[in-house]
Structures are given as structure tokens and as C-alpha cells.
């Protein structure tokens, strides 16, 4: 089936630095990629929708300048958390929509210290 | 717009007992409905999905769900709980359109006691 590969699985970074998370569709073309954030013991909240070759659409309350999304090709979308702070520590998950439904990356656990 | 409400943030059952996790949806268009399970520190695993075919949907691990339009519900059931079923369960909805995201409920934690 369709697979989305997400890297890294976990990352620890210092406050003020930037972290890039990559999601690749391995055997299909992902025109659209969805990015979610999940805080501990909470649900997945949609952060943004990225479309290949165009600007991402952010959900209300999500800072565009802090969470930079790039979807330059049909197989790669990236999320960069800029100037990370401890409150950005969370589980980030990407999702694509191949023909047979939704498929999710394995998630990235970000810890900002 | 689509949304789902999961009734009960925490459900506890005994091993061998019926599992019932409730989900009600709201959608302005015919919905696609999903149930996912998440184990601690892991990603999401699809249990089952409703995409306007049969209203009773069978999934993995003995789970099933029934789409009831009149009640706007999509409750998840399993006849006999196993200890390994203890996890977080999420109901999700999307519009029947390409490029639309899944919207998740707040989740229900299922505990199974021996």
C-alpha cells in the first residue's frame, strides 16, 4: 500500500534553533500533504495543508512564520519549526491522501530544551 | 464543515467484555468516517473506515462500526475485549473530496482490566 516515510522519528533541540521534519511519499505522488500536531494526551490537530508548488494553507491560530511548510515536489513535503521553544514540544504527524484513502507518517517527537 | 464528538474520554472494561466507543459526527456533505488506534508513543493505525458502501463496517482485530445516518453516529464495537486492546482510539471524519483533511475527535482511552 501507499507509504509515507517521515523523518526524523524523534529530535531534541535547543531553544531558539530550527528543526526540519521531512515526509516523503514512497510509491505515489502526494499532491497534498496534511500536517498535524499532537500534544500529550490530546488529539491530532490539523496545522496546515500543503499543496505541491503552492503556498500552504494554515489553520486558524497556527503561526505561518514559525511553522514553515515547503512542498516543492510531488513526493516531498517539509515542516520547519523555526526558533523552537519548549512549548513547541509535541508529536508532529504528516498525512497524504493516495487513491485508497489516507496514509500517515510514523510521526516525529520533538523535544525542545 | 466536518466535526466529530467522541463521548467519554475514558472507557474501562474487563477482559472479555463488550467494547463500545461512541462517536457522533457533523458534516455538511456525505461523510467518510474512520476509526484509528494509537498505542503509546506510536503513530496511527487504521481500524476501519466507512466510505458510503455498507453501513456495517468490519475492521481489523475484531472491531466493527455501524454508520447510522439518522443518529449521525459511527460507534465502534468489539464483542470481547483483550488486554492488547488498551490504547487511545480516535474517530475521524472527512468530506468525500480529494484534498480535504481528516478531522479528529478528542480521543477515547480504552483501559482493559483482567
Amino acid at each position: 500500500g501507499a507509504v509515507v516515510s517521515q523523518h526524523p522519528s524523534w529530535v531534541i533541540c535547543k531553544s531558539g534553533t530550527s528543526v526540519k521534519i521531512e515526509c516523503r511519499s514512497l510509491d505515489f505522488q502526494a499532491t497534498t500533504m496534511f500536517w498535524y500536531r499532537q500534544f500529550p494526551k490530546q488529539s491530532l490537530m490539523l496545522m496546515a495543508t500543503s499543496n505541491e508548488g503552492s503556498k500552504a494553507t494554515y489553520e486558524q491560530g497556527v503561526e505561518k512564520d514559525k511553522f514553515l511548510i515547503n512542498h516543492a515536489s510531488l513526493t516531498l513535503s517539509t515542516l520547519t519549526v523555526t526558533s523552537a521553544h519548549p512549548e513547541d514540544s509535541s508529536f508532529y504527524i504528516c498525512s497524504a491522501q493516495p487513491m485508497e484513502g489516507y496514509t500517515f507518517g510514523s510521526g516525529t517527537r520533538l523535544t525542545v530544551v | 464543515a466536518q466535526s466529530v464528538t467522541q463521548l467519554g474520554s475514558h472507557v474501562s472494561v474487563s477482559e472479555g467484555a463488550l467494547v463500545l466507543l461512541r462517536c457522533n459526527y457533523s458534516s455538511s456533505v456525505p461523510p467518510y468516517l474512520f476509526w484509528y488506534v494509537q498505542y503509546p508513543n506510536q503513530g496511527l493505525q487504521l481500524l476501519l473506515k466507512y466510505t458510503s458502501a455498507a453501513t456495517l463496517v468490519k475492521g481489523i482485530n475484531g472491531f466493527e462500526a455501524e454508520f447510522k445516518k439518522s443518529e449521525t453516529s459511527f460507534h465502534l464495537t468489539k464483542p470481547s475485549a483483550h488486554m492488547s486492546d488498551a490504547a487511545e482510539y480516535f474517530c475521524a471524519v472527512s468530506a468525500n473530496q480529494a484534498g480535504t483533511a481528516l478531522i479528529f475527535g478528542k480521543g477515547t482511552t480504552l483501559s482493559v482490566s483482567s
Side-chain angles (χ1 to χ4, degrees), chain B residues 20-100:
Chain B
L20 171 60
L21 304 182
R22 300 178 185 273
C23 174
N24 288 89
Y25 71 89
S26 174
S27 180
S28 55
V29 298
Y32 280 3
L33 292 159
F34 305 76
W35 275 100
Y36 287 87
V37 62
Q38 185 179 36
Y39 296 97
N41 297 312
Q42 293 188 27
L44 297 172
Q45 181 180 13
L46 178 66
L47 284 175
L48 49 81
K49 61 183 178 182
Y50 166 78
T51 56
S52 75
T55 56
L56 181 62
V57 182
K58 293 187 183 298
I60 62 171
N61 301 338
F63 285 95
E64 64 180 40
E66 185 172 7
F67 173 72
K68 292 187 177 180
K69 184 177 179 180
S70 61
E71 298 178 9
T72 62
S73 69
F74 190 59
H75 301 330
L76 182 71
T77 60
K78 181 173 180 177
S80 177
H82 294 162
M83 297 292 288
S84 60
D85 294 327
E88 190 76 16
Y89 292 79
F90 294 100
C91 181
V93 63
S94 76
N96 178 10
Q97 297 172 6
T100 57

Side-chain angles (χ1 to χ4, degrees), chain B residues 2-13:
Chain B
Q2 289 79 40
S3 67
V4 289
T5 301
Q6 291 184 241
L7 301 175
S9 59
H10 198 154
V11 170
S12 297
V13 300

